[in-house]
Amino acid sequence: MAKPTPLSGFPEFLPADRVVEQQVIATLSRTFELHGFGNIETRAVEPMDQLLRKGETSKEVYVLKRLHDTDGDAGMGLHFDLTVPFARYVMENAGKLEFPFRRWQIQKVWRGERPQEGRFREFTQADIDIVGRDVLPFHHDVEVARVMVEALSQLARPDSIGLPGFRLQVNNRKLIQGFYEGVGATDTDKVMQVIDKLDKLPVDKVRELLQSDAGLDEKQADLCLQLATIESEDASFVDAVRALGVESELLEEGLSELAAVIAGCASVTSETVRVVADLKIARGLDYYTGTVFETRLTGFESLGSICSGGRYDALASDGRFTYPGVGISLGLSRLLVPLVQKGHLTGSRQVPSAVLVALNEEESRPAADAVAQQLRASGVPTEVAAKADKFGKQIKYAEKRGIPFVLFERTDESGASTYEAKDIRSGEQVTVDPATWTPPAADLRPQVSASSTTDSKEISK
Amino acid sequence: MAKPTPLSGFPEFLPADRVVEQQVIATLSRTFELHGFGNIETRAVEPMDQLLRKGETSKEVYVLKRLHDTDGDAGMGLHFDLTVPFARYVMENAGKLEFPFRRWQIQKVWRGERPQEGRFREFTQADIDIVGRDVLPFHHDVEVARVMVEALSQLARPDSIGLPGFRLQVNNRKLIQGFYEGVGATDTDKVMQVIDKLDKLPVDKVRELLQSDAGLDEKQADLCLQLATIESEDASFVDAVRALGVESELLEEGLSELAAVIAGCASVTSETVRVVADLKIARGLDYYTGTVFETRLTGFESLGSICSGGRYDALASDGRFTYPGVGISLGLSRLLVPLVQKGHLTGSRQVPSAVLVALNEEESRPAADAVAQQLRASGVPTEVAAKADKFGKQIKYAEKRGIPFVLFERTDESGASTYEAKDIRSGEQVTVDPATWTPPAADLRPQVSASSTTDSKEISK
């Protein structure tokens, strides 16, 4: 068979890069579970009627068809996000779940888009959601924000993954809708859609559209544009909004909710992970009803929002109950694939092995296997040389794979044998007892190394 | 929306059952990595020409089609195993991989079969393989067997998952093919196919087919049937084969390889995990060329082989190199879904939380959040009560979810407050410092509880 070529839009990692993804997933899941979020995994497919409930992404669905079925497709498609399957899972199992139900879910999703730079057709998302039955108190909005901020902070720690940092931008639908109402707008959804174009169009063009398309007068349009410029890392945005002189009950509710999210996150922010009230954030999807989130990766803003979500008052409804929720979805592939492909992140070695047990001659393989088992029993990932070879070649074998230690047997004149562990990076060599020796903790697993992000322009173009 | 009904053949777990699967995956991956196997994840789809290279399962492929593409399908299908994508991955990245290349891979696969009892259309497999470039010494056959036996032993440990036990049945294609040649068979493949029917047809019927279809005479057929009855947990099968008086070079090679696998596994077998030379095992797939493996779950033999594999001399070939390999694939869903569905295995609770921080009144939520953060900093999964409530209700809340500890604040007459941790199973209650207290290690994570398997007949029918 000829050498296969990569499929555009279906990213895959080499082993050393997969180490990065594995450690990111481990960090996320650990944080989520510390906060009481349980894991679920849903099937990859949903019935087409579920997938097509929201018009927006329906064109991007991959439909399944059994190869020899000539009479049409299987009535199922691959899920394009983790929200639709989660809503279905909650409905299907509502009688067996306890509410509020917290779940984390990290899985692949598929979108049949035409491939283009930065767009994937298969990618991994990491979602957290809290769902209630009929009611879900507002404090859960603060909770999901805090949990995700904590998870991102873990990823940004230099001794963990070392990602450059994040800026979580929070807004509230009630706030902006209440403001537009207070301004006198009749079609607040339209105003929101136009304001949402601020990152693509010049301000003057948006002002024009607010008048031509959303039916605002010049003064109203100006107020809406001024609202969109407000941002603050503390509660000062409240005064800035009030200074615009617009009033409505819904606006007040939104202001107080947004202030609560900002205040609630204050204790978990850091130098690298910031939480900002940013009043231009709207989120296109129409099911959000309160808090909305977007997140930018510091220095890589051109990637767009890599972590978004919000409050939805009806994730699902079965006639008897409605299920309100609040959640955030982290685009794991969107975050990692460019950083890995450009070499900003990689694993320190391409195999888990911390130790290679060298082999002088094939006959001593059983003894080498036994030594390796002793190390594994102490939790040390270990492999035995694939073939007996000169010592220099075995060092090279370890070097190529990034294995830090080579263990070998040394027999003295009396025939007694000892084991020596050689750190091939420093050349340092010590006599060890394989039953008790372990490499330094930092060498036990591959580490993720993050290169400086000063050259990040390369990717943020 | 109406309550959705489960899709037949697409099993999903409730949160407490997903705990079982999570812990099985963690146990497997830990064992694989201790042996130097690195993880990869391949995309879910492959080009149709790759999927159809082997005729056998082609009818079961799910083909993808973009919803609005009227001009046919996307030329891609969902993978039906992890071997085809692995072969493609090796070929695609051969220049960047170091050989021998050891990988583990745990992912879902899809087969568009008509749904029936015990057959899934989406299921998870756990594969390990070692692949070489042009050469792969035989000792790697012993290695993969040992690694999988060790992994299964971990799963069978009562303090781990507590699965009932496993019987790994090993044979060797060279052995049986060499024996059939030595007997004088001309169509050894046909003999193998007929012998493979021994678990479905009576011996007399097989004897008949060996003569009518495989062209053997009665004596030859008898010898082949006698070979198939031989099994042993040690090297004694070698003498039993020799006693049949059949000779060939290939047979000798097979005997010595099989003996080496059995001897190599001796140090990792246990009461519950046995390794047996079983000379009736053939494996239907024609790409195996030496060692072959099948595995039965003790007491659940009717599930068939839940873990199979073998040596293949050409996983792939690109004209310049061939890539021989040896691997085993564990059917994770096949193993777990029936055990979980019948209630033999479940998680001890449906949330990760080990502690619920109670809440007297909504105003003290920030204080409760701060206490919860202290516990989380000590690695204790913790949630805060969803709403302020009477203490009795909070205990019930914890009970329903299986959370073992409730932490609550107690204020004495002087106004000074202390924290009490109540073990709701025993009712025992102690004053604790949230900054340092942690529950017993066994309560930190949900445990997997395995019910006695004496009632296993229920499922093995």
Side-chain angles (χ1 to χ4, degrees):
Chain A
M1 111 174 134
K3 186 180 168 184
T5 48
L7 267 185
S8 170
F10 291 86
E12 283 182 338
F13 288 133
L14 286 167
D17 298 331
R18 171 66 178 159
V19 165
V20 177
E21 193 175 38
Q22 277 184 294
Q23 296 202 8
V24 167
I25 289 171
T27 303
L28 293 174
S29 57
R30 183 180 144 83
T31 307
F32 300 155
E33 301 215 330
L34 279 173
H35 286 265
F37 286 69
N39 180 232
I40 66 165
E41 195 165 84
T42 56
R43 62 188 190 224
V45 307
E46 296 295 332
M48 288 306 294
D49 57 351
Q50 289 288 323
L51 294 172
L52 301 184
R53 275 172 63 215
K54 303 189 193 98
E56 198 193 15
T57 45
S58 64
K59 62 184 180 305
E60 301 169 358
V61 173
Y62 277 124
V63 188
L64 299 195
K65 183 182 161 303
R66 291 179 64 217
L67 186 58
H68 293 297
D69 263 3
T70 45
D71 50 343
D73 60 57
M76 303 181 293
L78 296 175
H79 57 221
F80 52 78
D81 69 8
L82 300 178
T83 304
V84 170
F86 178 53
R88 190 264 314 154
Y89 180 94
V90 167
M91 300 276 287
E92 189 176 315
N93 300 298
K96 296 167 191 157
L97 301 174
E98 296 295 335
F99 295 94
F101 175 47
R102 293 176 180 83
R103 81 89 172 77
W104 67 270
Q105 189 171 356
I106 300 184
Q107 280 182 249
K108 286 182 175 168
V109 305
W110 296 267
R111 296 188 186 176
E113 308 197 50
R114 304 233 168 257
Q116 50 174 303
E117 179 76 32
R119 287 276 172 182
F120 303 122
R121 296 193 283 176
E122 172 180 280
F123 53 101
T124 302
Q125 289 197 322
D127 281 27
I128 54 171
D129 283 85
I130 308 175
V131 166
R133 182 150 56 193
D134 281 345
V135 290
L136 185 75
F138 165 75
H139 64 76
H140 292 295
D141 289 36
V142 184
E143 182 182 353
V144 290
R146 285 171 58 97
V147 174
M148 193 51 92
V149 168
E150 229 183 282
L152 297 177
S153 299
Q154 290 295 329
L155 298 183
R157 279 175 53 176
D159 60 346
S160 168
I161 311 297
L163 289 176
F166 298 92
R167 183 180 169 87
L168 191 72
Q169 299 153 292
V170 196
N171 198 0
N172 190 293
R173 279 287 182 91
K174 294 175 189 169
L175 189 163
I176 46 180
Q177 203 192 320
F179 186 91
Y180 301 155
E181 284 172 14
V183 154
T186 48
D187 187 351
T188 56
D189 281 359
K190 191 74 210 170
V191 178
M192 211 178 296
Q193 282 165 30
V194 174
I195 290 288
D196 211 19
K197 294 183 177 160
L198 273 173
D199 55 349
K200 283 171 207 120
L201 299 177
V203 177
D204 287 344
K205 180 68 194 162
V206 172
R207 179 181 288 114
E208 213 179 289
L209 288 173
L210 284 173
Q211 297 173 58
S212 62
D213 291 19
L216 300 187
D217 65 26
E218 202 180 329
K219 186 162 171 275
Q220 290 171 323
D222 267 336
L223 281 169
C224 293
L225 284 171
Q226 282 177 53
L227 183 76
T229 62
I230 295 174
E231 56 174 71
S232 73
E233 296 198 2
D234 54 26
S236 63
F237 74 91
V238 177
D239 289 338
V241 174
R242 293 225 170 94
L244 297 177
V246 175
E247 281 177 14
S248 90
E249 228 175 89
L250 196 60
L251 170 61
E252 279 309 308
E253 201 180 324
L255 282 171
S256 110
E257 286 192 1
L258 182 53
V261 172
I262 300 297
C265 289
S267 67
V268 288
T269 55
S270 64
E271 269 305 300
T272 46
V273 182
R274 319 296 307 168
V275 177
V276 192
D278 186 334
L279 274 51
K280 72 175 168 296
I281 301 296
R283 302 293 307 145
L285 298 169
D286 57 7
Y287 51 78
Y288 293 118
T289 51
T291 308
V292 285
F293 307 102
E294 293 196 356
T295 309
R296 262 74 188 176
L297 178 64
T298 310
F300 299 84
E301 286 75 9
S302 69
L303 291 176
S305 176
I306 49 88
C307 182
S308 317
R311 153 73 69 151
Y312 36 88
D313 280 342
L315 172 71
S317 167
D318 58 12
R320 276 183 75 205
F321 300 107
T322 58
Y323 298 89
V326 56
I328 313 190
S329 172
L330 172 64
L332 209 61
S333 303
R334 193 166 194 176
L335 173 64
L336 295 183
V337 171
L339 289 176
V340 162
Q341 279 177 348
K342 304 271 180 179
H344 291 274
L345 285 177
T346 187
S348 59
R349 54 185 192 251
Q350 54 185 289
V351 292
S353 317
V355 177
L356 173 74
V357 180
L359 203 60
N360 298 322
E361 65 261 314
E362 198 52 41
E363 290 66 41
S364 46
R365 181 170 299 280
D369 280 337
V371 166
Q373 279 300 85
Q374 288 185 302
L375 289 167
R376 291 174 192 133
S378 313
V380 183
T382 303
E383 60 182 272
V384 174
K387 58 174 181 147
D389 222 331
K390 275 180 274 184
F391 190 63
K393 289 220 171 168
Q394 309 226 10
I395 299 282
K396 274 214 180 102
Y397 182 100
E399 254 170 8
K400 272 189 181 173
R401 288 156 180 80
I403 303 172
F405 290 92
V406 175
L407 195 81
F408 59 97
E409 196 179 357
R410 167 165 290 178
T411 312
D412 69 16
E413 288 146 18
S414 73
S417 73
T418 54
Y419 282 93
E420 307 267 316
K422 186 186 187 80
D423 182 333
I424 66 167
R425 298 159 300 188
S426 64
E428 205 179 312
Q429 187 170 315
V430 285
T431 304
V432 300
D433 175 359
T436 55
W437 175 75
T438 61
D443 287 326
L444 279 181
R445 310 274 154 201
Q447 302 294 306
V448 173
S449 45
S451 71
S452 141
T453 53
T454 49
D455 55 338
S456 64
K457 271 162 207 137
E458 185 189 340
I459 192 172
S460 57
K461 267 177 206 162
Chain B
M1 113 174 130
K3 187 181 167 184
T5 48
L7 267 186
S8 169
F10 291 86
E12 283 182 339
F13 288 133
L14 286 167
D17 298 330
R18 171 65 178 159
V19 165
V20 177
E21 194 175 37
Q22 278 183 294
Q23 295 200 9
V24 167
I25 290 172
T27 303
L28 292 174
S29 57
R30 184 180 144 83
T31 306
F32 299 155
E33 301 215 331
L34 279 174
H35 285 265
F37 287 68
N39 180 232
I40 66 165
E41 195 165 86
T42 55
R43 63 189 190 223
V45 307
E46 295 296 332
M48 288 306 294
D49 58 349
Q50 288 289 322
L51 294 171
L52 301 183
R53 274 171 64 216
K54 302 188 195 99
E56 197 193 16
T57 46
S58 64
K59 62 182 180 308
E60 302 169 359
V61 173
Y62 277 123
V63 187
L64 299 194
K65 183 181 160 304
R66 291 179 64 216
L67 186 59
H68 294 297
D69 262 3
T70 45
D71 51 343
D73 60 57
M76 302 181 294
L78 295 175
H79 58 221
F80 53 78
D81 70 8
L82 300 179
T83 304
V84 171
F86 177 53
R88 190 264 314 154
Y89 180 94
V90 167
M91 299 276 287
E92 189 175 315
N93 299 298
K96 296 166 190 154
L97 301 174
E98 295 295 334
F99 296 94
F101 176 47
R102 292 176 180 83
R103 81 88 172 78
W104 67 270
Q105 190 171 357
I106 299 184
Q107 280 182 248
K108 286 183 175 166
V109 305
W110 294 268
R111 295 187 188 178
E113 307 198 49
R114 305 234 167 255
Q116 51 173 305
E117 179 77 32
R119 287 277 172 184
F120 304 121
R121 296 193 282 177
E122 172 179 279
F123 53 101
T124 302
Q125 290 197 322
D127 282 27
I128 53 171
D129 283 85
I130 308 174
V131 166
R133 182 150 55 192
D134 282 344
V135 289
L136 185 75
F138 165 76
H139 64 77
H140 292 295
D141 289 35
V142 184
E143 182 181 354
V144 290
R146 285 171 59 97
V147 174
M148 192 52 91
V149 167
E150 229 184 282
L152 297 176
S153 299
Q154 290 294 329
L155 298 182
R157 280 176 52 176
D159 61 345
S160 168
I161 311 296
L163 289 176
F166 298 92
R167 182 181 169 86
L168 192 72
Q169 299 152 290
V170 196
N171 198 358
N172 190 294
R173 280 286 182 91
K174 293 176 189 169
L175 189 163
I176 46 181
Q177 203 191 321
F179 186 91
Y180 301 155
E181 285 173 13
V183 154
T186 48
D187 188 351
T188 56
D189 281 359
K190 190 76 211 170
V191 177
M192 211 178 294
Q193 282 165 29
V194 174
I195 290 287
D196 211 19
K197 293 181 178 161
L198 272 172
D199 55 350
K200 283 172 206 119
L201 299 178
V203 177
D204 286 345
K205 182 67 194 162
V206 173
R207 181 180 289 111
E208 213 178 290
L209 289 173
L210 284 173
Q211 297 172 59
S212 62
D213 290 21
L216 301 188
D217 65 26
E218 204 181 328
K219 186 160 172 276
Q220 290 172 322
D222 267 337
L223 280 169
C224 293
L225 283 170
Q226 283 179 53
L227 182 76
T229 64
I230 295 172
E231 57 174 69
S232 72
E233 296 198 2
D234 54 25
S236 63
F237 74 91
V238 177
D239 287 338
V241 174
R242 294 226 171 94
L244 297 178
V246 175
E247 282 177 12
S248 89
E249 227 174 89
L250 196 59
L251 169 61
E252 280 308 309
E253 201 179 324
L255 282 170
S256 110
E257 286 192 359
L258 182 54
V261 172
I262 300 297
C265 288
S267 67
V268 288
T269 56
S270 64
E271 270 305 300
T272 45
V273 182
R274 318 297 306 168
V275 177
V276 192
D278 186 334
L279 274 49
K280 71 174 169 298
I281 301 297
R283 302 294 304 146
L285 299 168
D286 57 5
Y287 51 77
Y288 292 119
T289 50
T291 307
V292 286
F293 307 103
E294 292 196 356
T295 310
R296 262 75 188 174
L297 178 64
T298 311
F300 300 84
E301 286 76 8
S302 69
L303 291 176
S305 176
I306 47 90
C307 182
S308 317
R311 154 72 69 150
Y312 36 88
D313 279 343
L315 172 71
S317 168
D318 59 10
R320 276 183 76 205
F321 299 106
T322 59
Y323 298 89
V326 58
I328 314 190
S329 173
L330 171 64
L332 210 60
S333 304
R334 193 165 194 177
L335 173 65
L336 295 183
V337 171
L339 290 176
V340 162
Q341 279 176 348
K342 304 271 178 178
H344 290 274
L345 285 177
T346 186
S348 60
R349 55 184 191 252
Q350 54 185 289
V351 292
S353 316
V355 177
L356 174 73
V357 179
L359 204 57
N360 297 322
E361 62 262 314
E362 198 52 41
E363 290 65 42
S364 44
R365 181 170 299 279
D369 280 339
V371 166
Q373 280 299 86
Q374 288 185 302
L375 289 167
R376 291 174 192 133
S378 311
V380 183
T382 304
E383 60 183 270
V384 175
K387 57 175 181 146
D389 222 330
K390 276 181 274 186
F391 190 62
K393 289 219 170 170
Q394 310 226 10
I395 298 283
K396 273 212 180 103
Y397 182 100
E399 256 170 8
K400 273 189 180 172
R401 289 159 179 78
I403 302 172
F405 290 91
V406 176
L407 195 80
F408 60 96
E409 195 178 357
R410 167 166 288 180
T411 312
D412 69 15
E413 290 144 19
S414 73
S417 73
T418 54
Y419 283 92
E420 307 268 316
K422 187 186 187 79
D423 183 331
I424 66 168
R425 297 158 302 187
S426 64
E428 206 180 312
Q429 188 171 313
V430 286
T431 305
V432 300
D433 175 359
T436 55
W437 175 76
T438 60
D443 287 326
L444 279 182
R445 310 274 154 202
Q447 302 293 306
V448 173
S449 44
S451 71
S452 140
T453 52
T454 48
D455 54 339
S456 65
K457 270 162 207 138
E458 186 189 338
I459 193 174
S460 59
K461 268 177 204 161

